[in-house]
Amino acid sequence: MTQKWRGWVLAGVALTMYVTGGVLIMAGLVMIGIMGGQDLWNWGEARGIGYMAFAIGIILSVFGVLVMRIMRNRGW
C-alpha cells in the first residue's frame, strides 16, 4: 500500500471512530437521562447500558482524535 492510500485509509478509520463515538455518547446520555430504569430488549436496565455506551463513546472519540493528530504530525 502506498503512502497516499495509507493516509486515506487511516483518515477514514479515524473519522469513523470519531463519529461513532459521538453517536454512542449521545445515545448513552439519552439512555441514562430519559429511559432510566426501563428494561432494554431484555439486555438489562437502560441506565447501565447507557453508562457503558457513554464510556465506549468517549474512548472511541479520544482514540479517533489521537489517530487524526498522529496523521497530521507525520504529514499523511
Side-chain angles (χ1 to χ4, degrees):
M1 190 179 318
T2 63
Q3 191 78 6
K4 179 181 175 183
W5 286 107
R6 184 187 315 165
W8 281 104
V9 169
L10 282 175
V13 168
L15 190 61
T16 302
M17 283 191 299
Y18 183 68
V19 169
T20 304
V23 169
L24 280 174
I25 289 172
M26 289 298 131
L29 288 175
V30 166
M31 283 189 262
I32 293 167
I34 296 174
M35 297 180 75
Q38 293 179 5
D39 186 42
L40 201 61
W41 305 299
N42 290 328
W43 289 358
E45 192 176 281
R47 188 174 297 126
I49 297 171
Y51 285 128
M52 184 180 64
F54 185 74
I56 292 172
I58 288 176
I59 291 168
L60 279 177
S61 290
V62 168
F63 193 64
V65 169
L66 285 175
V67 171
M68 285 187 247
R69 294 298 302 169
I70 290 170
M71 288 176 52
R72 182 175 177 176
N73 287 339
R74 293 191 180 175
W76 290 345

